[in-house]
Amino acid sequence: MLGELARDFGAKRTEYVRRSKAYEEETIRLVERSSKEAEGWYVQRENKNSLRMRRPRSIEEVTENRFWNILYRFGYAELNKGRTFPIKIGKGQATIEKRVDIFAKDDETIVIARCRSQRLPAKLSLLDDLNDFAELMKPMADAVRLHYGKDYKPKIIWCIVTENIRWSDSDLRRAKEYNIKVIQGLELIYFEEFSKKLGPAARYQFHAEYLEDQKVPTFSGRKVPAVKTKLGGKTAYLFSALARDILRIAFVNHRDLRDPSGAPSYQRIVKPNRLKEIGRFLDEGKFFPNTILLNFHRKPQFEPLAKDHISSVHFGNLILPDRYKSCWIIDGQHRLYGTTYTQDNYDTPLFFIGFDSVSTSEEANIFVEINSKQATVPPTLLSALEGEVKWDSDDPKERLSAIASRAVDLLNTRGGGALEGKVVSPGITAGTSQPLNVRSIQDRINQSGLVGVLNPRTGVIAPGPCWSETSEGALGRLVTLLEIHFEEVQAANPERWEMGKAGFLCMNFGVGSHIRLVAELLAFLAAKEDLVLHQQEPHDLHTLIKPFIAPVLTFINEASDAQFEERFRVIFGSSGFHHYFYALVDLVVEALPEFSPEGYADFKRLTSDEVTDLADRQVKWIQKVVPAYILQRLQHDFGDDYFDKMVPKEVQKACQERRIDDDGDEKLPVETYLDWIHLQKIVKQKEVRDGFKEVLSIRLRDEPGGKHFYDGWFDAINRIRRIPAHPAGRSYSDADLQIVSHVIEFLTNTLPSPYVAGDYAVPMS
C-alpha cells in the first residue's frame, strides 16, 4: 500500500546526506555539457573523460528536504525514499495512487506531509490544497492501517509545510477545522535547531506540539508517590517519577516556537554541550538533589493515603495525566532532557514539584524570578519577556517597554507582515533570513515615542501617535502602523529586503531607523498642523506621512546595490542608528525641505577628525567592557579561584612574571595583568567557550561559516586598538571602522544591561 521506505540505518543515512546538500550532483559525458548547462547545471569538476556537474535544488525540494531531515534527526524508524511518496488508496479495481512529499513512522505516530514553497515571501491561497488533502486523509489512514496491520494504531500527524507563504486567517481556520497542522518558516527553523541540539529526544516536543490533548498510548493510570501541599497559596505536588514518563507528556514553552497557546513563552532553547555533561554526570552514578519545576495544564488526580495535621500535608499517589502536552516544564529542562544522553535508559527517578494549573503568565513570572540573577540566561530573552511579565505593571516606564516588547513579538510571529520571521529568537543561531535582534528593535520602539514619552520629572506618559487608554489598544495601533509602513518598504524592493544584512535594508540599523523616521515625521507634522495624533486611526497616520516617505521608497526601488550600500553602510556601532537615520532624512528633505530632526544639522557638519575621535572612544570602550565581562563571568561560574582553575597555565605564568616586575606598593591583583590576547585564549577554551558563545562569538562579515566559536574579531580589534595608541602616520580604514561598528552592535545587543549603561555606556557621538 505504501511506496519505498528507508528502514535501516544505512539507507536512512544515505538519504539524509543526499537531502542535506543544497544542490544536485551528477557525472556526465563531455558531449552532454551544453544540454546540461541549458537546464541550469554548471561544472563543478572536470575529469579526463567526464564532468562532475551541479545544479541548485528548487526551493520546493529544499523545503521538503529540511522537514525530512528534521524527522530523521527526531529518530523516526521509517522514512520515505525519494520525492513524491506514493500511497495506494481504494480497493480492487478502484485502487489508485496518491502522492505526498513526506512520510515517517515511529512506534506511536505517523507523519504525512505536503510541502509548498516560494522564492520570495508572498500571500497565497492554499484552500484548494487544504480541501484536496482533507479528502484524502481518511483513505490514506485506511491504507496505512492496512499496510501495518490492525495491531498498530498510530496517531497520524497531517501537515502542510510551507516556506515564504503568508497564510490568510481563513486558510488557517480551515486547516484547524481539518486537523491539518501548519508548519511555517519559524517552526521549521525552531525544529531544525532543536533536532540538531537534542536529537531523537526532540521528538517529545514535536509530539507535544502537534498531538496536544490526545491520549498517549499505553500511559493511562500511571501512578507515582507524592506529597500534596501549598506553595505561595497554590496547590503543588512534590513527587518522584522516571524522566521518560514525564518526557512523554512534557512540553517546554520555548520562545522560538510560534504557538498561540504558549503565550507568554519564556524558555530559552537547550544547550547540547550542557546536556552531554549532564549525561556523563549521571553515568558516573551522580544525582541531582534539587527538583525540576513544572505545571500541570491538565489537572492531575490525587489519591490521599494519609495526612499530617500539623503541616496540612497530604501523602498519597499522584496519577499523571495521560495526554500529550499536559505537563509544562518551568525550570529544569536541561536536567530532564539530559537523562536522554546517558549510555543506558536512565531508570533512577527524578524529583519534581508540579503546580496544579497555574496560568502561563504565572509560569513566566516564576521562571524570571528563578533565572533573572543567573548569567546563563541571555539578556535578549529577559528583554523579550518584558512584554509578558511586565504587561500589567503599575510603573509607566515598564508598561511602555512591555508594549514595545510584545509589538516586536507580534510583528515577528503574526502572519502576513513584512517583519514576519525576521527577528531571531534567543538561543537560535541567526541566519540570513533572521537579521533582526529583539532587543535592538524593542529599544528603537521605546526611543521613538510612538506609544508615548515618559516625563522624567512627573513620571507621567505624554501620549504618542499610537497611544491608547489600554495597553492592548496601544499595542494594536503600534503594530498596525508599523506593519503598514514596512509592507511598503518591502514592496519597494522585495529582493533587497530578503537579503537581510547584506542588502543594508532589513537589518537592525535599517528597521530601527525607519521606526524613528515614522515617529519623527508624525511629530513634525503634528507640530506644524496642530494635530492630535492619538485620536486618528493608524491608516490615517500613515497617510499623513506617505508623501514624504515617497523619495525613500523610490531610492529603495531604483538604487543599484552599490549606490544603496554607499548611502546606508554605517561604521559607528550604536551610533550607526543615527547615521542610517540621517541618511534617510537626506532623502526625505527632497519632499519636505524644512524637516530637520534633532542632531541632523550637527551630523551634516561632522568632520573626519570627529569620526576618528568617536572611533577612538569606541575602541577604548571595547577594551574596557570585554575584560570586565569576562572576569566577572568567570568569577560567577567558577568561584573566587577562577584564575587558578580556568586561566591557561602559560597565561598565568606571563601575568605572574609581569606582576613580579612591579614594585611592592604597585603590585595589583594578578588578573589585572591579563592583556587582550590572553583574554582571547581564555574564552576560546573548550571548557568555557559555550558559556561565552552568546556574547563573545562574533562572526566578522567576510569570515567563513561553520565554526563553533568565532574569535577572529579579537585579533582584528587587537590590530585596530594600536591606531589610537600610536596615531602618528596612522588612520582608520573603512574596513577598520566597519569591524568596530559590527563588534559594538553585536556586544550592545548581547551583553547584560549593566555592561552597556552607567560607567560602561557606549560612546555614540
Side-chain angles (χ1 to χ4, degrees):
M1 302 300 295
L2 305 180
E4 187 178 3
L5 289 161
R7 294 186 175 91
D8 62 80
F9 174 79
K12 287 189 288 187
R13 186 67 186 175
T14 299
E15 185 80 0
Y16 175 72
V17 171
R18 183 186 69 80
R19 288 177 180 264
S20 297
K21 296 177 180 178
Y23 47 80
E24 302 174 74
E25 284 187 313
E26 193 175 311
T27 300
I28 64 166
R29 295 174 300 162
L30 296 175
V31 295
E32 298 176 274
R33 177 171 183 164
S34 59
S35 62
K36 281 290 185 180
E37 287 179 335
E39 296 173 0
W41 294 78
Y42 63 91
V43 176
Q44 190 260 329
R45 185 179 67 248
E46 294 191 22
N47 303 317
K48 184 175 181 181
N49 299 311
S50 63
L51 296 172
R52 187 65 172 172
M53 301 198 75
R54 285 183 178 178
R55 180 173 65 179
R57 297 191 190 277
S58 67
I59 183 64
E60 292 85 0
E61 187 174 1
V62 169
T63 301
E64 292 170 20
N65 291 344
R66 289 174 66 192
F67 189 56
W68 192 100
N69 287 349
I70 287 170
L71 297 176
Y72 168 82
R73 289 189 292 267
F74 281 167
Y76 272 87
E78 299 181 14
L79 290 150
N80 61 292
K81 291 185 70 174
R83 301 182 67 191
T84 58
F85 181 74
I87 299 177
K88 294 180 181 179
I89 62 174
K91 296 181 180 179
Q93 296 290 331
T95 300
I96 59 173
E97 276 191 0
K98 290 293 182 180
R99 296 181 178 271
V100 295
D101 298 313
I102 304 292
F103 181 93
K105 170 192 176 289
D106 68 5
D107 293 339
E108 295 182 4
T109 62
I110 295 283
V111 179
I112 297 177
R114 284 184 170 178
C115 302
R116 298 288 182 266
S117 300
Q118 297 187 142
R119 188 175 68 87
L120 293 173
K123 294 178 181 178
L124 182 71
S125 173
L126 293 173
L127 185 59
D128 290 342
D129 296 83
L130 289 167
N131 290 336
D132 179 60
F133 202 22
E135 288 179 3
L136 295 173
M137 287 167 66
K138 186 180 185 306
M140 283 185 178
D142 292 339
V144 167
R145 294 185 181 99
L146 184 61
H147 180 86
Y148 288 106
K150 62 181 180 180
D151 293 333
Y152 179 57
K153 300 177 180 179
K155 307 287 185 182
I156 301 181
I157 304 174
W158 307 93
C159 305
I160 290 187
V161 183
T162 65
E163 179 72 6
N164 287 336
I165 291 176
R166 295 182 182 156
W167 285 69
S168 68
D169 291 340
S170 59
D171 282 357
L172 289 172
R173 284 194 297 270
R174 184 61 59 89
K176 187 174 182 179
E177 291 170 5
Y178 288 150
N179 195 28
I180 296 173
K181 308 302 179 184
V182 176
I183 300 178
Q184 301 182 61
L186 281 180
E187 288 91 352
L188 271 176
I189 292 171
Y190 167 74
F191 281 116
E192 274 182 327
E193 192 87 8
F194 201 55
S195 63
K196 289 175 183 177
K197 292 185 174 183
L198 205 56
R203 196 172 6 151
Y204 294 117
Q205 185 81 346
F206 183 73
H207 288 170
E209 181 61 18
Y210 296 116
L211 294 172
E212 181 177 2
D213 281 338
Q214 296 189 44
K215 283 192 173 184
V216 180
T218 67
F219 196 76
S220 181
R222 180 75 175 92
K223 293 183 181 181
V224 293
V227 171
K228 182 179 179 181
T229 185
K230 291 278 187 180
L231 289 177
K234 301 174 180 65
T235 300
Y237 305 93
L238 172 64
F239 64 95
S240 177
L242 296 176
R244 61 173 175 266
D245 285 342
I246 299 300
L247 281 167
R248 295 184 75 187
I249 60 174
F251 175 70
V252 183
N253 193 9
H254 291 131
R255 290 196 63 81
D256 319 295
L257 181 58
R258 177 169 50 194
D259 178 358
S261 70
S265 49
Y266 50 89
Q267 292 272 20
R268 72 275 202 194
I269 204 164
V270 293
K271 296 181 178 178
N273 284 342
R274 190 172 173 194
L275 297 176
K276 293 174 184 177
E277 290 172 2
I278 289 173
R280 290 192 294 269
F281 176 85
L282 296 175
D283 281 333
E284 293 170 359
K286 298 176 181 177
F287 62 92
F288 296 111
N290 52 337
T291 58
I292 295 171
L293 206 59
L294 53 87
N295 181 32
F296 290 112
H297 278 234
R298 177 176 285 268
K299 193 174 183 66
Q301 298 179 49
F302 182 74
E303 296 178 343
L305 300 177
K307 179 180 180 180
D308 176 45
H309 293 282
I310 297 176
S311 63
S312 297
V313 166
H314 292 78
F315 303 92
N317 291 320
L318 184 69
I319 302 175
L320 296 174
D322 61 354
R323 306 294 176 116
Y324 291 105
K325 203 178 179 179
S326 55
C327 169
W328 291 36
I329 307 303
I330 299 175
D331 190 66
Q333 60 167 331
H334 284 92
R335 280 170 279 156
L336 182 61
Y337 278 114
T339 61
T340 66
Y341 277 72
T342 55
Q343 292 181 355
D344 301 311
N345 287 332
Y346 189 70
D347 289 326
T348 302
L350 301 178
F351 285 96
F352 300 84
I353 290 178
F355 287 101
D356 189 347
S357 306
V358 301
S359 70
T360 313
S361 294
E362 288 176 301
E363 286 181 14
N365 272 302
I366 293 169
F367 172 83
V368 170
E369 287 173 4
I370 292 171
N371 291 289
S372 60
K373 302 303 180 184
Q374 295 186 16
T376 53
V377 179
T380 47
L381 176 57
L382 296 177
S383 177
L385 279 173
E386 283 191 60
E388 316 296 352
V389 300
K390 296 181 179 178
W391 183 251
D392 298 317
S393 174
D394 294 328
D395 184 329
K397 183 178 180 180
E398 290 184 349
R399 181 183 173 191
L400 289 174
S401 188
I403 293 170
S405 174
R406 193 172 286 188
V408 176
D409 193 40
L410 280 179
L411 290 165
N412 187 47
T413 59
R414 198 159 79 172
L419 294 175
E420 181 189 10
K422 297 300 182 187
V423 183
V424 66
S425 299
I428 292 288
T429 302
T432 55
S433 63
Q434 290 184 297
L436 306 180
N437 177 283
V438 60
R439 191 174 176 185
S440 175
I441 306 306
Q442 180 191 1
D443 286 346
R444 297 307 129 190
I445 293 175
N446 278 330
Q447 293 165 15
S448 73
L450 280 172
V451 175
V453 177
L454 189 67
N455 186 310
R457 291 188 297 104
T458 64
V460 175
I461 298 175
C466 298
W467 173 258
S468 175
E469 291 302 319
T470 66
S471 295
E472 289 81 3
L475 175 66
R477 290 173 58 83
L478 174 64
V479 170
T480 300
L481 177 62
L482 293 180
E483 280 187 336
I484 295 169
H485 177 72
F486 284 109
E487 283 279 2
E488 292 206 345
V489 172
Q490 180 200 38
N493 197 324
E495 289 80 9
R496 180 167 287 149
W497 180 261
E498 292 305 319
M499 289 170 67
K501 293 181 180 179
F504 297 94
L505 181 59
C506 184
M507 57 187 295
N508 287 324
F509 288 149
V511 171
S513 297
H514 272 272
I515 291 170
R516 181 179 174 187
L517 180 63
V518 170
E520 294 275 11
L521 277 171
L522 286 171
F524 174 81
L525 294 173
K528 180 181 178 182
E529 302 178 20
D530 196 24
L531 301 174
V532 182
L533 297 176
H534 65 272
Q535 294 179 357
Q536 301 194 37
E537 292 300 314
H539 287 80
D540 295 331
L541 292 176
H542 194 264
T543 300
L544 282 173
I545 63 175
K546 189 170 182 177
F548 311 114
I549 291 176
V552 175
L553 300 178
T554 299
F555 188 81
I556 293 172
N557 175 258
E558 297 178 356
S560 68
D561 290 344
Q563 289 171 326
F564 202 84
E565 179 177 353
E566 183 180 2
R567 176 178 288 271
F568 291 113
R569 184 187 65 190
V570 295
I571 55 176
F572 293 107
S574 294
S575 63
F577 281 105
H578 299 297
H579 291 263
Y580 197 111
F581 170 68
Y582 296 141
L584 289 175
V585 174
D586 278 340
L587 295 170
V588 173
V589 295
E590 296 175 14
L592 192 63
E594 65 270 36
F595 183 56
S596 183
E598 182 181 356
Y600 179 60
D602 291 337
F603 166 74
K604 300 297 286 185
R605 293 193 299 269
L606 189 66
T607 66
S608 59
D609 288 342
E610 289 170 321
V611 170
T612 300
D613 175 67
L614 178 58
D616 286 348
R617 288 184 286 119
Q618 291 188 334
V619 170
K620 290 176 182 176
W621 177 84
I622 294 171
Q623 293 177 261
K624 176 181 179 181
V625 73
V626 171
Y629 170 71
I630 291 173
L631 296 180
Q632 290 179 33
R633 179 64 189 269
L634 287 172
Q635 186 177 32
H636 177 278
D637 290 351
F638 301 102
D640 290 339
D641 56 347
Y642 70 88
F643 190 87
D644 295 331
K645 286 182 179 178
M646 304 313 302
V647 176
K649 297 300 180 186
E650 69 273 16
V651 174
Q652 290 187 38
K653 183 178 179 181
C655 291
Q656 293 290 4
E657 288 176 350
R658 292 171 64 183
R659 188 171 186 270
I660 289 171
D661 290 339
D662 280 348
D663 295 332
D665 293 340
E666 297 177 355
K667 290 187 188 297
L668 298 172
V670 66
E671 63 270 14
T672 60
Y673 294 88
L674 290 165
D675 63 27
W676 185 256
I677 297 303
H678 291 156
L679 296 170
Q680 180 183 14
K681 290 180 179 178
I682 292 170
V683 299
K684 67 189 288 187
Q685 294 177 104
K686 186 177 181 181
E687 298 82 359
V688 301
R689 67 187 181 192
D690 283 339
F692 286 108
K693 187 174 182 181
E694 176 89 20
V695 176
L696 298 181
S697 178
I698 305 177
R699 180 182 174 186
L700 298 178
R701 184 177 176 185
D702 298 326
E703 201 168 3
K707 291 185 179 180
H708 183 78
F709 189 92
Y710 292 92
D711 66 310
W713 68 276
F714 275 93
D715 295 317
I717 295 297
N718 189 51
R719 174 183 57 78
I720 293 170
R721 72 192 182 101
R722 299 188 185 115
I723 295 173
H726 306 284
R730 307 182 69 176
S731 61
Y732 296 102
S733 66
D734 279 354
D736 295 336
L737 294 171
Q738 287 180 52
I739 290 171
V740 173
S741 166
H742 178 69
V743 170
I744 284 189
E745 182 191 5
F746 193 96
L747 291 174
T748 53
N749 284 323
T750 58
L751 279 167
S753 297
Y755 294 98
V756 291
D759 292 340
Y760 291 113
V762 188
M764 297 179 64
S765 60

